[in-house]
Amino acid sequence: MADANSTSGPQNGDSPRGFAFALTAYLLWGFLPFFMKAVAHIPAPEVVAHRIVWSVPLAGLVLVWLGRTGDIKAALRSPRMLGMATLTAVLITINWGIYVWAIGAGRAIETALGYYINPLFSIFLGAVLLKEMPDRAQMVAIALAAVAVGVLAFDAGGLPWVSIGLCLSWGFYAFFRKTLPIGPNQGFFLEVLLLSVPALGYIVWLEASGEGHFGDTGMADVLWLLACGIVTAIPLMIYANGAKLLRLSTIGIMQYIAPTMIFIIAVFVFGEPFGTAKLIAFILIWVALVIYSGSMLRTARARRIAATELKPAE
């Protein structure tokens, strides 16, 4: 999934084409739990490995079509670029692994909570690492999110590690991904390309040891695993091309679409338990997100007004 802090949109307005792209991506991510539930009989590490391997040709074809293969050649010759891409690749792998496992284990509600918390964690991360002090409303939102996590921890007798793991891995991924001086499509291809070597080796080892699901367990599993590349690469590519045509504030609001869909699917389709503690935690998170969104929209509006006032008259 994507984060509002991972990209920046145009300053002057939203493009209908960009909105359509971003909406499509978030809807695809919202329906992703159905796919992950269908492959829940396959171990999560194997699913993640196939997500990586089959994303490479798809992402590569997109770069060929866009005529941006030169960026990859330049990146492969830069040790600094390779080091940064390796870090982001590891973080996104951790995120995928937790997500795939959690859906299959019947903990989709926790994944929704993790992605709800993510924008608030990004503000916290900016304050700690970049000294970008949040305003009062944002501090209240972060505090409410912390209380929500505390409620869940008290109820379960331990931290909601699925939510925290997803939030931390994606938050740090988005933070470091911003420092990678390469376009979103090129960056994604570089990440899966670097990951494809160990991923392919793992798949080969699984098949050689008779523990793999790519062939020995029927054609259905082959098709499911091949589709891992499609459900991974396509939404990311669509999102990357849509986000650059939208304002940051628009992306900030739209990012709630996917976790909301995951939450609804988890409760009303998968029938996951939703007790009092989770209800209280989610209410706290929803209130926090309303406060956060209001603050973000006010800031964006103030910047637009300031930019208009500073624009020289023609």
Side-chain angles (χ1 to χ4, degrees), residues 4 10 40-41 87 89 95 112 136 168 182 184 221 223 269 273 280 285 311:
H41 62 287
L87 174 60
N95 183 269
R136 184 176 301 177
L168 291 177
I182 195 171
D221 282 345
L223 295 176
V269 180
I280 293 173
I285 290 296
K311 185 176 180 181

Side-chain angles (χ1 to χ4, degrees), residues 56-74:
V56 174
L58 287 173
L61 286 173
V62 170
L63 290 186
V64 171
W65 178 58
L66 294 174
R68 304 308 297 265
T69 55
D71 296 342
I72 299 300
K73 294 177 182 177

Side-chain angles (χ1 to χ4, degrees), residues 1 29-41 44 51 95-112 115 162 166 261-263 265-266 270 272:
M1 297 179 66
W29 279 321
F31 284 114
L32 189 58
F34 288 116
F35 180 89
M36 293 305 165
K37 207 70 169 178
V39 297
H41 62 287
R51 290 188 74 173
N95 183 269
W96 288 349
I98 295 173
Y99 179 81
V100 172
W101 177 86
I103 298 296
R107 301 173 75 166
I109 289 177
E110 292 181 49
T111 70
Y115 288 123
V162 169
L166 287 172
M261 291 177 64
I262 294 171
F263 171 78
I265 291 169
F270 295 163
E272 292 187 14

Side-chain angles (χ1 to χ4, degrees), residues 14 65 70 90 122 135 143-144 175 203 241 255 276 299:
D14 296 321
W65 178 58
V90 169
S122 293
D135 60 29
L144 287 174
F175 176 81
I203 292 171
N241 288 279
Q255 69 181 319
T276 303
T299 300

Side-chain angles (χ1 to χ4, degrees), residues 17 25 87 91 115 131 142 148 205 242-243 255 264 270 276 278 307:
R17 184 164 166 262
L87 174 60
L91 288 169
Y115 288 123
K131 308 304 179 184
I142 293 172
W205 178 80
Q255 69 181 319
I264 293 172
F270 295 163
T276 303
K278 287 182 178 177

Side-chain angles (χ1 to χ4, degrees), residues 170-257:
W170 186 265
F172 279 109
Y173 171 77
F175 176 81
F176 288 112
R177 186 64 179 78
K178 287 176 65 177
T179 67
L180 193 62
I182 195 171
N185 291 324
Q186 299 94 310
F188 174 67
F189 176 78
L190 184 59
E191 288 166 350
V192 292
L193 183 65
L194 292 172
L195 292 169
S196 65
V197 176
L200 185 59
Y202 178 63
I203 292 171
V204 171
W205 178 80
L206 285 176
E207 296 304 321
S209 62
E211 299 180 18
H213 292 75
F214 194 72
D216 294 338
T217 55
M219 184 53 66
D221 282 345
V222 172
L223 295 176
W224 281 121
L225 290 172
L226 285 173
C228 285
I230 297 174
V231 302
T232 300
I234 298 302
L236 278 169
M237 297 290 190
I238 294 174
Y239 170 81
N241 288 279
K244 64 185 179 183
L245 301 173
L246 296 174
R247 290 173 298 181
L248 188 62
S249 57
T250 302
I251 288 293
I253 298 298
M254 292 183 72
Q255 69 181 319
Y256 304 141
I257 294 173

